[in-house]
mmCIF file of all heavy atoms in Angstrom:
data_model
loop_
_atom_site.group_PDB
_atom_site.id
_atom_site.type_symbol
_atom_site.label_atom_id
_atom_site.label_comp_id
_atom_site.label_asym_id
_atom_site.label_seq_id
_atom_site.Cartn_x
_atom_site.Cartn_y
_atom_site.Cartn_z
ATOM 1 N N PRO A 127 -16.095 1.225 -2.117
ATOM 2 C CA PRO A 127 -16.984 0.073 -2.352
ATOM 3 C C PRO A 127 -16.720 -0.530 -3.770
ATOM 4 O O PRO A 127 -17.576 -0.496 -4.637
ATOM 5 C CB PRO A 127 -18.360 0.793 -2.305
ATOM 6 C CG PRO A 127 -18.123 2.197 -2.670
ATOM 7 C CD PRO A 127 -16.749 2.503 -2.110
ATOM 8 N N ILE A 128 -15.618 -1.022 -3.993
ATOM 9 C CA ILE A 128 -15.162 -1.589 -5.268
ATOM 10 C C ILE A 128 -16.038 -2.684 -5.852
ATOM 11 O O ILE A 128 -16.250 -2.819 -6.986
ATOM 12 C CB ILE A 128 -13.653 -1.997 -5.178
ATOM 13 C CG1 ILE A 128 -12.817 -0.835 -4.894
ATOM 14 C CG2 ILE A 128 -13.191 -2.585 -6.586
ATOM 15 C CD1 ILE A 128 -11.282 -1.065 -4.676
ATOM 16 N N ALA A 129 -16.520 -3.525 -4.855
ATOM 17 C CA ALA A 129 -17.398 -4.585 -5.239
ATOM 18 C C ALA A 129 -18.694 -4.127 -5.968
ATOM 19 O O ALA A 129 -19.391 -4.845 -6.616
ATOM 20 C CB ALA A 129 -17.686 -5.422 -4.111
ATOM 21 N N GLN A 130 -19.015 -2.850 -5.734
ATOM 22 C CA GLN A 130 -20.194 -2.311 -6.405
ATOM 23 C C GLN A 130 -19.862 -1.571 -7.731
ATOM 24 O O GLN A 130 -20.679 -1.066 -8.294
ATOM 25 C CB GLN A 130 -20.864 -1.251 -5.436
ATOM 26 C CG GLN A 130 -21.267 -1.970 -4.072
ATOM 27 C CD GLN A 130 -21.765 -0.944 -3.062
ATOM 28 O OE1 GLN A 130 -22.263 0.132 -3.497
ATOM 29 N NE2 GLN A 130 -21.733 -1.264 -1.780
ATOM 30 N N TRP A 131 -18.568 -1.519 -8.044
ATOM 31 C CA TRP A 131 -18.181 -0.946 -9.276
ATOM 32 C C TRP A 131 -18.335 -1.932 -10.535
ATOM 33 O O TRP A 131 -18.533 -3.096 -10.290
ATOM 34 C CB TRP A 131 -16.690 -0.542 -9.278
ATOM 35 C CG TRP A 131 -16.353 0.515 -8.325
ATOM 36 C CD1 TRP A 131 -17.224 1.251 -7.463
ATOM 37 C CD2 TRP A 131 -15.046 1.078 -7.989
ATOM 38 N NE1 TRP A 131 -16.490 2.062 -6.732
ATOM 39 C CE2 TRP A 131 -15.165 2.016 -7.024
ATOM 40 C CE3 TRP A 131 -13.748 0.749 -8.501
ATOM 41 C CZ2 TRP A 131 -14.088 2.776 -6.551
ATOM 42 C CZ3 TRP A 131 -12.649 1.450 -7.989
ATOM 43 C CH2 TRP A 131 -12.822 2.478 -7.070
ATOM 44 N N SER A 132 -18.370 -1.394 -11.653
ATOM 45 C CA SER A 132 -18.351 -2.233 -12.867
ATOM 46 C C SER A 132 -16.880 -2.747 -13.034
ATOM 47 O O SER A 132 -15.951 -2.237 -12.558
ATOM 48 C CB SER A 132 -18.754 -1.433 -14.124
ATOM 49 O OG SER A 132 -17.804 -0.464 -14.414
ATOM 50 N N ARG A 133 -16.825 -3.900 -13.868
ATOM 51 C CA ARG A 133 -15.549 -4.441 -14.063
ATOM 52 C C ARG A 133 -14.639 -3.447 -14.878
ATOM 53 O O ARG A 133 -13.473 -3.439 -14.640
ATOM 54 C CB ARG A 133 -15.746 -5.746 -14.913
ATOM 55 C CG ARG A 133 -16.396 -6.827 -14.040
ATOM 56 C CD ARG A 133 -16.499 -8.130 -14.874
ATOM 57 N NE ARG A 133 -17.216 -9.149 -14.101
ATOM 58 C CZ ARG A 133 -17.509 -10.369 -14.503
ATOM 59 N NH1 ARG A 133 -17.252 -10.691 -15.774
ATOM 60 N NH2 ARG A 133 -18.198 -11.237 -13.795
ATOM 61 N N SER A 134 -15.253 -2.689 -15.758
ATOM 62 C CA SER A 134 -14.399 -1.726 -16.532
ATOM 63 C C SER A 134 -13.884 -0.714 -15.633
ATOM 64 O O SER A 134 -12.745 -0.231 -15.834
ATOM 65 C CB SER A 134 -15.345 -1.138 -17.628
ATOM 66 O OG SER A 134 -16.383 -0.431 -17.078
ATOM 67 N N ILE A 136 -13.142 -1.116 -12.461
ATOM 68 C CA ILE A 136 -12.082 -1.712 -11.675
ATOM 69 C C ILE A 136 -10.865 -1.793 -12.538
ATOM 70 O O ILE A 136 -9.701 -1.539 -12.061
ATOM 71 C CB ILE A 136 -12.584 -3.147 -11.182
ATOM 72 C CG1 ILE A 136 -13.683 -2.999 -10.205
ATOM 73 C CG2 ILE A 136 -11.376 -3.853 -10.587
ATOM 74 C CD1 ILE A 136 -14.266 -4.340 -9.792
ATOM 75 N N LEU A 244 -6.545 -4.925 -4.445
ATOM 76 C CA LEU A 244 -7.885 -5.409 -4.849
ATOM 77 C C LEU A 244 -8.124 -6.774 -4.063
ATOM 78 O O LEU A 244 -9.279 -7.040 -3.826
ATOM 79 C CB LEU A 244 -8.014 -5.603 -6.387
ATOM 80 C CG LEU A 244 -7.955 -4.359 -7.175
ATOM 81 C CD1 LEU A 244 -7.960 -4.737 -8.685
ATOM 82 C CD2 LEU A 244 -9.098 -3.412 -6.829
ATOM 83 N N HIS A 247 -9.261 -6.828 0.515
ATOM 84 C CA HIS A 247 -10.531 -6.725 1.147
ATOM 85 C C HIS A 247 -11.654 -7.133 0.165
ATOM 86 O O HIS A 247 -11.480 -7.282 -0.967
ATOM 87 C CB HIS A 247 -10.819 -5.227 1.599
ATOM 88 C CG HIS A 247 -10.053 -4.771 2.727
ATOM 89 N ND1 HIS A 247 -10.321 -5.092 4.061
ATOM 90 C CD2 HIS A 247 -8.938 -3.971 2.768
ATOM 91 C CE1 HIS A 247 -9.389 -4.613 4.878
ATOM 92 N NE2 HIS A 247 -8.502 -3.899 4.130
ATOM 93 N N ARG A 248 -12.898 -7.326 0.751
ATOM 94 C CA ARG A 248 -14.067 -7.612 -0.012
ATOM 95 C C ARG A 248 -14.666 -6.365 -0.774
ATOM 96 O O ARG A 248 -15.302 -6.530 -1.714
ATOM 97 C CB ARG A 248 -15.121 -8.289 0.812
ATOM 98 C CG ARG A 248 -14.669 -9.532 1.561
ATOM 99 C CD ARG A 248 -14.185 -10.635 0.700
ATOM 100 N NE ARG A 248 -13.851 -11.898 1.462
ATOM 101 C CZ ARG A 248 -13.282 -12.935 0.885
ATOM 102 N NH1 ARG A 248 -13.095 -12.974 -0.448
ATOM 103 N NH2 ARG A 248 -12.926 -13.976 1.608
ATOM 104 N N TYR A 249 -14.437 -5.290 -0.103
ATOM 105 C CA TYR A 249 -14.903 -3.969 -0.655
ATOM 106 C C TYR A 249 -16.371 -3.881 -0.922
ATOM 107 O O TYR A 249 -16.741 -3.246 -1.937
ATOM 108 C CB TYR A 249 -14.057 -3.585 -1.907
ATOM 109 C CG TYR A 249 -12.619 -3.493 -1.612
ATOM 110 C CD1 TYR A 249 -11.731 -4.355 -2.137
ATOM 111 C CD2 TYR A 249 -12.079 -2.361 -0.917
ATOM 112 C CE1 TYR A 249 -10.329 -4.243 -1.963
ATOM 113 C CE2 TYR A 249 -10.710 -2.196 -0.683
ATOM 114 C CZ TYR A 249 -9.874 -3.127 -1.214
ATOM 115 O OH TYR A 249 -8.518 -3.027 -1.040
ATOM 116 N N ASP A 250 -17.179 -4.450 -0.111
ATOM 117 C CA ASP A 250 -18.580 -4.424 -0.311
ATOM 118 C C ASP A 250 -19.340 -3.606 0.684
ATOM 119 O O ASP A 250 -20.618 -3.686 0.747
ATOM 120 C CB ASP A 250 -19.257 -5.806 -0.336
ATOM 121 C CG ASP A 250 -18.897 -6.656 0.976
ATOM 122 O OD1 ASP A 250 -18.354 -6.080 1.827
ATOM 123 O OD2 ASP A 250 -19.289 -7.877 1.008
ATOM 124 N N ASN A 251 -18.564 -2.833 1.478
ATOM 125 C CA ASN A 251 -19.254 -1.860 2.431
ATOM 126 C C ASN A 251 -19.552 -0.531 1.752
ATOM 127 O O ASN A 251 -18.635 0.006 1.021
ATOM 128 C CB ASN A 251 -18.417 -1.656 3.638
ATOM 129 C CG ASN A 251 -19.098 -0.809 4.714
ATOM 130 O OD1 ASN A 251 -20.281 -1.022 5.001
ATOM 131 N ND2 ASN A 251 -18.303 0.097 5.221
ATOM 132 N N VAL A 266 -9.137 -9.993 3.836
ATOM 133 C CA VAL A 266 -8.831 -11.253 3.114
ATOM 134 C C VAL A 266 -7.518 -11.843 3.547
ATOM 135 O O VAL A 266 -6.521 -11.035 3.737
ATOM 136 C CB VAL A 266 -8.802 -11.120 1.552
ATOM 137 C CG1 VAL A 266 -8.434 -12.314 0.834
ATOM 138 C CG2 VAL A 266 -10.197 -10.614 1.081
ATOM 139 N N GLU A 322 -8.619 -16.970 1.066
ATOM 140 C CA GLU A 322 -8.750 -17.162 -0.434
ATOM 141 C C GLU A 322 -7.528 -17.925 -0.859
ATOM 142 O O GLU A 322 -6.420 -17.743 -0.233
ATOM 143 C CB GLU A 322 -8.998 -15.984 -1.151
ATOM 144 C CG GLU A 322 -10.221 -15.214 -0.860
ATOM 145 C CD GLU A 322 -11.467 -15.931 -1.504
ATOM 146 O OE1 GLU A 322 -11.230 -16.893 -2.307
ATOM 147 O OE2 GLU A 322 -12.569 -15.575 -1.113
ATOM 148 N N ALA A 327 -7.086 -15.719 -7.074
ATOM 149 C CA ALA A 327 -8.397 -16.146 -6.663
ATOM 150 C C ALA A 327 -9.170 -15.065 -6.006
ATOM 151 O O ALA A 327 -10.465 -14.957 -6.295
ATOM 152 C CB ALA A 327 -8.273 -17.477 -5.770
ATOM 153 N N ALA A 328 -8.520 -14.298 -5.191
ATOM 154 C CA ALA A 328 -9.260 -13.181 -4.438
ATOM 155 C C ALA A 328 -9.760 -12.146 -5.388
ATOM 156 O O ALA A 328 -10.866 -11.608 -5.373
ATOM 157 C CB ALA A 328 -8.337 -12.645 -3.418
ATOM 158 N N VAL A 329 -8.946 -11.836 -6.459
ATOM 159 C CA VAL A 329 -9.316 -10.791 -7.463
ATOM 160 C C VAL A 329 -10.479 -11.385 -8.274
ATOM 161 O O VAL A 329 -11.441 -10.645 -8.632
ATOM 162 C CB VAL A 329 -8.128 -10.370 -8.284
ATOM 163 C CG1 VAL A 329 -8.577 -9.585 -9.457
ATOM 164 C CG2 VAL A 329 -7.082 -9.723 -7.557
ATOM 165 N N ARG A 330 -10.466 -12.620 -8.631
ATOM 166 C CA ARG A 330 -11.552 -13.287 -9.406
ATOM 167 C C ARG A 330 -12.906 -13.183 -8.568
ATOM 168 O O ARG A 330 -13.915 -12.862 -9.208
ATOM 169 C CB ARG A 330 -11.227 -14.760 -9.769
ATOM 170 C CG ARG A 330 -10.225 -14.832 -10.862
ATOM 171 C CD ARG A 330 -10.255 -16.272 -11.437
ATOM 172 N NE ARG A 330 -9.787 -17.254 -10.459
ATOM 173 C CZ ARG A 330 -8.613 -17.629 -10.349
ATOM 174 N NH1 ARG A 330 -7.556 -17.010 -11.158
ATOM 175 N NH2 ARG A 330 -8.179 -18.508 -9.526
ATOM 176 N N VAL A 331 -12.838 -13.395 -7.329
ATOM 177 C CA VAL A 331 -14.017 -13.270 -6.481
ATOM 178 C C VAL A 331 -14.489 -11.869 -6.566
ATOM 179 O O VAL A 331 -15.755 -11.620 -6.639
ATOM 180 C CB VAL A 331 -13.748 -13.725 -5.034
ATOM 181 C CG1 VAL A 331 -14.883 -13.323 -4.111
ATOM 182 C CG2 VAL A 331 -13.417 -15.185 -4.921
ATOM 183 N N LEU A 332 -13.665 -10.906 -6.398
ATOM 184 C CA LEU A 332 -14.117 -9.509 -6.508
ATOM 185 C C LEU A 332 -14.746 -9.186 -7.823
ATOM 186 O O LEU A 332 -15.756 -8.549 -7.846
ATOM 187 C CB LEU A 332 -12.965 -8.534 -6.259
ATOM 188 C CG LEU A 332 -13.235 -7.002 -6.260
ATOM 189 C CD1 LEU A 332 -14.172 -6.647 -5.172
ATOM 190 C CD2 LEU A 332 -11.889 -6.312 -6.241
ATOM 191 N N LEU A 333 -14.116 -9.675 -8.904
ATOM 192 C CA LEU A 333 -14.679 -9.391 -10.218
ATOM 193 C C LEU A 333 -16.061 -10.124 -10.456
ATOM 194 O O LEU A 333 -16.929 -9.552 -11.146
ATOM 195 C CB LEU A 333 -13.692 -9.844 -11.301
ATOM 196 C CG LEU A 333 -12.338 -8.947 -11.449
ATOM 197 C CD1 LEU A 333 -11.425 -9.618 -12.371
ATOM 198 C CD2 LEU A 333 -12.686 -7.568 -11.634
ATOM 199 N N ARG A 334 -16.135 -11.338 -9.918
ATOM 200 C CA ARG A 334 -17.416 -12.024 -10.039
ATOM 201 C C ARG A 334 -18.568 -11.199 -9.345
ATOM 202 O O ARG A 334 -19.717 -11.280 -9.821
ATOM 203 C CB ARG A 334 -17.392 -13.370 -9.346
ATOM 204 C CG ARG A 334 -16.757 -14.416 -10.259
ATOM 205 C CD ARG A 334 -17.189 -15.789 -9.908
ATOM 206 N NE ARG A 334 -16.912 -16.170 -8.523
ATOM 207 C CZ ARG A 334 -15.746 -16.691 -8.010
ATOM 208 N NH1 ARG A 334 -14.848 -16.974 -8.925
ATOM 209 N NH2 ARG A 334 -15.640 -16.933 -6.748
ATOM 210 N N HIS A 335 -18.222 -10.532 -8.278
ATOM 211 C CA HIS A 335 -19.258 -9.731 -7.568
ATOM 212 C C HIS A 335 -19.476 -8.332 -8.191
ATOM 213 O O HIS A 335 -20.406 -7.590 -7.761
ATOM 214 C CB HIS A 335 -18.959 -9.675 -6.080
ATOM 215 C CG HIS A 335 -19.128 -10.993 -5.380
ATOM 216 N ND1 HIS A 335 -18.143 -11.844 -5.320
ATOM 217 C CD2 HIS A 335 -20.171 -11.425 -4.668
ATOM 218 C CE1 HIS A 335 -18.573 -12.916 -4.555
ATOM 219 N NE2 HIS A 335 -19.814 -12.674 -4.178
ATOM 220 N N ALA A 336 -18.581 -7.930 -9.039
ATOM 221 C CA ALA A 336 -18.684 -6.567 -9.603
ATOM 222 C C ALA A 336 -19.956 -6.541 -10.536
ATOM 223 O O ALA A 336 -20.375 -7.504 -11.142
ATOM 224 C CB ALA A 336 -17.408 -6.246 -10.412
ATOM 225 N N LYS A 337 -20.376 -5.368 -10.690
ATOM 226 C CA LYS A 337 -21.576 -5.153 -11.528
ATOM 227 C C LYS A 337 -21.159 -5.356 -12.991
ATOM 228 O O LYS A 337 -20.101 -4.985 -13.408
ATOM 229 C CB LYS A 337 -22.050 -3.608 -11.349
ATOM 230 C CG LYS A 337 -22.760 -3.305 -10.099
ATOM 231 C CD LYS A 337 -23.252 -1.937 -10.086
ATOM 232 C CE LYS A 337 -23.903 -1.491 -8.803
ATOM 233 N NZ LYS A 337 -24.398 -0.184 -8.782
ATOM 234 N N LYS A 338 -22.140 -5.846 -13.684
ATOM 235 C CA LYS A 338 -21.899 -6.049 -15.116
ATOM 236 C C LYS A 338 -22.616 -4.808 -15.809
ATOM 237 O O LYS A 338 -23.472 -4.185 -15.240
ATOM 238 C CB LYS A 338 -22.639 -7.320 -15.588
ATOM 239 C CG LYS A 338 -21.936 -8.628 -15.059
ATOM 240 C CD LYS A 338 -22.669 -9.827 -15.501
ATOM 241 C CE LYS A 338 -22.006 -11.130 -14.920
ATOM 242 N NZ LYS A 338 -22.688 -12.383 -15.276
ATOM 243 N N PRO A 339 -22.280 -4.531 -17.027
ATOM 244 C CA PRO A 339 -22.764 -3.393 -17.716
ATOM 245 C C PRO A 339 -24.295 -3.284 -17.724
ATOM 246 O O PRO A 339 -24.894 -2.255 -17.516
ATOM 247 C CB PRO A 339 -22.215 -3.433 -19.095
ATOM 248 C CG PRO A 339 -20.955 -4.201 -18.970
ATOM 249 C CD PRO A 339 -21.164 -5.200 -17.800
ATOM 250 N N ASP A 341 -26.207 -4.347 -15.509
ATOM 251 C CA ASP A 341 -26.853 -4.101 -14.179
ATOM 252 C C ASP A 341 -27.247 -2.646 -14.070
ATOM 253 O O ASP A 341 -28.186 -2.353 -13.342
ATOM 254 C CB ASP A 341 -25.775 -4.373 -13.090
ATOM 255 C CG ASP A 341 -25.514 -5.862 -12.967
ATOM 256 O OD1 ASP A 341 -26.340 -6.648 -13.486
ATOM 257 O OD2 ASP A 341 -24.474 -6.218 -12.390
ATOM 258 N N HIS A 342 -26.611 -1.688 -14.736
ATOM 259 C CA HIS A 342 -26.928 -0.267 -14.560
ATOM 260 C C HIS A 342 -28.298 0.009 -15.027
ATOM 261 O O HIS A 342 -28.972 0.918 -14.538
ATOM 262 C CB HIS A 342 -25.896 0.551 -15.341
ATOM 263 C CG HIS A 342 -24.511 0.388 -14.895
ATOM 264 N ND1 HIS A 342 -24.110 0.786 -13.652
ATOM 265 C CD2 HIS A 342 -23.433 -0.179 -15.452
ATOM 266 C CE1 HIS A 342 -22.857 0.481 -13.441
ATOM 267 N NE2 HIS A 342 -22.435 -0.049 -14.512
#
Side-chain angles (χ1 to χ4, degrees):
I128 298 175
Q130 301 174 25
W131 295 357
S132 66
R133 293 180 182 178
S134 60
I136 294 174
L244 293 178
H247 288 283
R248 304 297 182 185
Y249 297 111
D250 56 4
N251 185 45
V266 176
E322 292 291 346
V329 172
R330 283 196 295 267
V331 170
L332 180 65
L333 293 176
R334 279 203 303 268
H335 287 86
K337 289 182 179 179
K338 298 179 181 179
D341 291 343
H342 297 294

